[in-house]
Amino acid sequence: MDILSLLGGLLLILLGANGLTDGAASIAKRFRIPSIVIGLTIVAFGTSAPELTVSVSSALKGSADIAIGNVVGSNIFNTLMIVGCTALFAPIVISRNTLRKEIPLCILSSIILLICANDVFLDHSSENIISTTDGLLLLCFFIIFLGYTFAIAFQGKKEGETEEEIKQLPMWRSILYIIGGLVALIAGGNFFVDGASGIARNLGVSESVIGLTLVAGGTSLPELATSIVAALKKNPEIAIGNVIGSNLFNIFFVLGCSASITPLHLTGITNMDLLVLVGSSILLWIFGLFFAKRTITRIEGSILILCYIAYTTVLIYNV
């Protein structure tokens, strides 16, 4: 029943995110909002809706380790597995702007999370908590990141980049998609968290391990599918933008929202997990900076995948 609840919840989340995104994008297009704005807000939110739904549901249910593990695990999965798998299909060329600004910003977001989650070490507190104050601070960083993204996007538009076509739907269907999508997201989030918690209890493992592996992999499926399809269509560079955008969204917005709603007590998420998060971003940056002229090759992709397998093996071995 727990497995069925987990899979059913994930299916509802994916369908809900897709419906909500299509409906909202169609209504935005009807009111003549530029496609570039829709892509940066509604579509970006839609692809990260699974992480947001699961983390907020977990926070409200008191499962902080699933909420934090989902974000940390998703970001590690994105950086190591998604980029690694995409590079196996086609080498990924990284732009200078991404290498100089966006990947360093991704590293910075991981370091900020590492600092916020180390109250015992830094402040000699009795336990590590991502507090409401930390959550609001992360949301402030998200607003800065959103402003930067809009500036870059509009600059690209002036330079003649093509806009993504948004499918126009009848108004009644758009509203139906939005309402249905929201209902599916909320119901799916509840089912998914209940299933994940039940599996953790039955297997005798901590919620943090389930959050870092099973939950993280499940909520990262949209990013994985998008990146592999992009590689098959000979656009593998989309994977880097997809991963970096998702990672920043997860830490600044998803974790920011979750912690703002209720303080998140870290019990099973360790500094090893957070350091792997920082290290994976640094490794991606080093591969892009020093080898093969700003290209993630198949060999480097294989190394990233092996790093993820090694990390997961250590997690399971330490259970």
Side-chain angles (χ1 to χ4, degrees), residues 14 20 26 77 97 112 131 161 176 194 196 221 239 242 245 288 299:
L14 296 178
L20 178 65
S26 176
F77 185 89
N97 201 52
I112 290 168
S131 64
E161 288 183 6
L176 191 66
D194 288 344
L221 285 177
N242 188 20
I299 293 172

Side-chain angles (χ1 to χ4, degrees), residues 17 22 61 69 80 88 111 119 129 131 146 149 155 158 204 216 238 244 261 269 279 282 297 315-316:
D22 287 349
K61 286 173 176 279
L80 298 179
L88 288 183
I111 293 171
D119 297 323
I129 301 174
S131 64
L146 207 59
T149 307
Q155 185 182 348
K158 286 175 188 173
I238 288 176
I244 291 169
I261 292 168
I269 307 296
I282 293 173
T297 63
L315 264 186
I316 295 168

Side-chain angles (χ1 to χ4, degrees), residues 73 76-77 80-81 212-213 304-313:
I76 293 170
F77 185 89
L80 298 179
M81 276 299 281
L212 287 163
T213 54
L304 292 173
I305 293 170
L306 288 172
C307 287
Y308 184 78
I309 293 169
Y311 166 67
T312 308
T313 305

Side-chain angles (χ1 to χ4, degrees), residues 210-246:
I210 294 294
L212 287 163
T213 54
L214 189 64
V215 175
T219 55
S220 291
L221 285 177
E223 287 89 349
L224 179 61
T226 302
S227 297
I228 289 177
V229 168
L232 291 172
K233 290 183 176 179
K234 309 299 181 193
N235 292 313
E237 65 278 0
I238 288 176
I240 289 290
N242 188 20
V243 163
I244 291 169
S246 178

Side-chain angles (χ1 to χ4, degrees), residues 12-262:
L12 279 174
I13 288 169
L14 296 178
L15 289 173
N18 193 49
L20 178 65
T21 303
D22 287 349
S26 176
I27 287 177
K29 192 69 177 175
R30 185 178 292 275
F31 287 103
R32 296 199 170 99
I33 295 171
S35 297
I36 198 161
V37 176
I38 297 169
L40 285 170
T41 53
I42 296 167
V43 176
F45 171 83
T47 57
S48 287
E51 285 89 347
L52 181 64
T53 305
V54 170
S55 286
V56 170
S57 298
S58 302
L60 290 171
K61 286 173 176 279
S63 299
D65 278 343
I66 290 182
I68 302 165
N70 174 36
V71 167
V72 174
S74 287
N75 284 15
I76 293 170
F77 185 89
N78 287 350
T79 307
L80 298 179
M81 276 299 281
I82 292 181
V83 174
C85 288
T86 307
L88 288 183
F89 283 96
I92 306 169
V93 178
I94 305 175
S95 70
R96 291 185 189 277
N97 201 52
T98 298
L99 208 53
R100 290 175 181 173
K101 295 178 183 177
E102 287 153 16
I103 295 180
L105 188 60
C106 209
I107 296 169
L108 179 65
S109 70
S110 304
I111 293 171
I112 290 168
L113 178 57
L114 180 67
I115 291 169
C116 289
N118 266 284
D119 297 323
V120 173
F121 179 72
L122 296 173
D123 292 334
H124 307 291
S125 301
S126 57
E127 61 177 332
N128 291 321
I129 301 174
I130 298 179
S131 64
T132 303
T133 307
D134 293 332
L136 293 171
L137 184 65
L138 291 173
L139 288 175
C140 289
F141 276 112
F142 176 70
I143 293 168
I144 295 168
F145 162 64
L146 207 59
Y148 163 78
T149 307
F150 270 101
I152 293 295
F154 280 108
Q155 185 182 348
K157 187 183 173 187
K158 286 175 188 173
E159 291 168 2
E161 288 183 6
T162 57
E163 288 190 350
E164 184 183 350
E165 278 298 314
I166 305 295
K167 187 178 177 183
Q168 187 83 48
L169 300 169
M171 180 61 86
W172 68 268
R173 188 180 292 179
S174 299
I175 294 169
L176 191 66
Y177 276 19
I178 290 171
I179 295 169
L182 284 170
V183 171
L185 279 173
I186 294 165
N190 285 325
F191 282 130
F192 194 88
V193 174
D194 288 344
S197 302
I199 289 170
R201 283 193 302 270
N202 291 328
L203 293 177
V205 300
S206 64
E207 288 187 347
S208 60
V209 172
I210 294 294
L212 287 163
T213 54
L214 189 64
V215 175
T219 55
S220 291
L221 285 177
E223 287 89 349
L224 179 61
T226 302
S227 297
I228 289 177
V229 168
L232 291 172
K233 290 183 176 179
K234 309 299 181 193
N235 292 313
E237 65 278 0
I238 288 176
I240 289 290
N242 188 20
V243 163
I244 291 169
S246 178
N247 285 6
L248 290 168
F249 198 98
N250 285 348
I251 290 178
F252 289 151
F253 187 71
V254 174
L255 213 50
C257 284
S258 302
S260 298
I261 292 168
T262 177

